[in-house]
Amino acid sequence: YGGKALDFDSSAVQAVFRKLSAQDGCRRPLLLSEPATSAEKTRLRCLLAELSFEALEAPEVSTLSSALLATLARGKSNGTVVDIGAGLTSIAPLLNGCVEPECLREQTFAGNALDIMVLDALKSQGVTLSMPSRNLGQANTGMRLAQDIKESICFCAYAPLASLEKPKEYRHRLPDNQEIEVTAFSRQIPEALLTGTVLRGECFFGVPQLASEAILTLPVGASSAGSEVILVGGSSRFVNFKDRLQVALADYLDGRQVKVTQVDNRYASCLGASVAAQLKHPLVRWVTRSEYQEHGSHVFTRL
């Protein structure tokens, strides 16, 4: 995910399947979400197929992109999905339920990067976020505390920071009695999502620039995919972020009106999957166990 290898423990999913099977005595089909911009999508699908049929013993399996599931959560099949999660920001335009691959954009500047910016801002004030934990390492614990501070204190200003006056200082006391000066970073950190920044020597573009590039790359006749931007992901929920993104997109697109909407549910893919599970071909293509046994996991490469 995001170019990094992850270990996946299927025991929790297996426990859910066993519980459901015990309730009605039958195995249920499995609908899986996959990243719209995964560079190794074919390999990922094969791994998911093996997990689903071998470990979970699912009778039928289907995979859909997280971008499509987000549009279905809005009751749509067209739109440009801007997904700002923990480790990845991705922009995926969809036309009639299909992702336009030439228009995909992504960068690794997302929620985790904002957490690092919180830690750097506090470090500059002489504040350290660490606490003993038996289950988490000190670094991970500090990141979790930084995430809590980001979600409870940080917000987007109603206008670009360059046009606003410097606010009065406001100090906040942490549970360990350390004091932090909030106004030094509370607006600057979310602003980086809009204007772009340089973090640890790597340059990142702002979300408006990436989204406008994706929309402008759409082929002729696919304008409906760029008329609405669907904003999802936990790192997109800052106060004023949706309104600021809409204004910024109008600037990048020379006044072209683009409607920005937001899926209120933090887990848009799960909400969209509940809709997709009730749909039939062509949006959802189910692979049966007999197909898997005959053709192997490569049957998923044709989806």
Side-chain angles (χ1 to χ4, degrees):
Y1 181 75
K4 297 179 180 179
L6 295 177
D7 292 326
F8 179 71
D9 183 1
S10 65
S11 59
V13 183
Q14 288 176 301
V16 171
F17 263 61
R18 284 194 296 268
K19 182 177 180 180
L20 291 174
S21 299
Q23 290 177 355
D24 53 19
C26 67
R27 294 283 183 177
R28 298 171 186 266
L30 183 61
L31 179 59
L32 301 170
S33 166
E34 64 182 2
T37 55
S38 174
E40 297 187 357
K41 183 175 292 187
T42 299
R43 180 173 176 270
L44 176 62
R45 281 181 172 177
C46 292
L47 291 174
L48 290 175
E50 294 175 6
L51 170 67
S52 304
F53 286 116
E54 302 294 345
L56 303 179
E57 300 180 2
E60 292 180 295
V61 178
S62 181
T63 61
L64 294 178
S65 76
S66 56
L68 173 57
L69 294 178
T71 59
L72 292 177
R74 284 279 303 162
K76 309 270 186 179
S77 59
N78 296 331
T80 297
V81 176
V82 175
D83 189 347
I84 311 175
L88 196 68
T89 294
S90 64
I91 290 89
L94 291 96
L95 182 65
N96 298 324
C98 297
V99 176
E100 296 289 325
E102 298 82 7
C103 306
L104 293 174
R105 297 291 186 275
E106 70 174 18
Q107 65 180 8
T108 55
F109 186 82
N112 293 341
L114 297 180
D115 296 339
I116 292 174
M117 292 181 67
V118 171
L119 289 175
D120 289 346
L122 297 180
K123 185 178 180 180
S124 68
Q125 298 184 26
V127 177
T128 57
L129 295 182
S130 62
M131 56 185 294
S133 174
R134 295 181 179 179
N135 299 321
L136 295 174
Q138 180 174 333
N140 290 335
T141 306
M143 288 289 286
R144 180 57 186 270
L145 292 173
Q147 179 184 352
D148 291 341
I149 291 175
K150 175 192 69 178
E151 294 179 352
S152 59
I153 292 178
C154 294
F155 65 99
C156 284
Y158 64 89
L161 288 183
S163 64
L164 301 178
E165 297 180 357
K166 184 178 180 180
K168 296 180 180 180
E169 288 191 0
Y170 179 81
R171 306 195 71 82
H172 175 75
R173 187 181 296 274
L174 298 176
D176 61 359
N177 288 325
Q178 294 186 95
E179 285 194 355
I180 58 176
E181 206 288 290
V182 171
T183 56
F185 65 87
S186 59
R187 300 184 303 173
Q188 286 86 341
I189 287 176
E191 191 81 4
L193 286 173
L194 295 163
T195 61
T197 190
V198 176
L199 180 65
R200 305 289 170 89
E202 190 170 356
C203 181
F204 297 101
F205 300 106
V207 172
Q209 179 175 341
L210 285 176
S212 60
E213 286 179 1
I215 293 172
L216 292 173
T217 312
L218 284 167
V220 177
S223 59
S224 59
S227 60
E228 181 176 358
V229 169
I230 301 172
L231 194 58
V232 299
S235 299
S236 68
R237 298 168 64 84
F238 290 110
V239 173
N240 296 328
F241 182 79
K242 180 175 75 72
D243 297 334
R244 288 284 308 279
L245 177 60
Q246 177 142 359
V247 173
L249 283 175
D251 293 338
Y252 273 99
L253 297 172
D254 297 327
R256 174 179 171 181
Q257 293 300 312
V258 176
K259 181 181 180 182
V260 179
T261 58
Q262 191 167 28
V263 178
D264 294 332
N265 193 307
R266 183 164 185 164
Y267 304 102
S269 290
C270 293
L271 183 61
S274 68
V275 176
Q278 303 177 57
L279 299 179
K280 297 181 179 180
H281 186 80
L283 281 180
V284 182
R285 164 70 167 91
W286 292 99
V287 174
T288 64
R289 172 173 288 276
S290 59
E291 288 180 289
Y292 171 75
Q293 291 173 339
E294 181 178 354
H295 302 286
S297 60
H298 292 287
V299 68
F300 276 75
T301 63
R302 299 198 296 267
L303 294 183

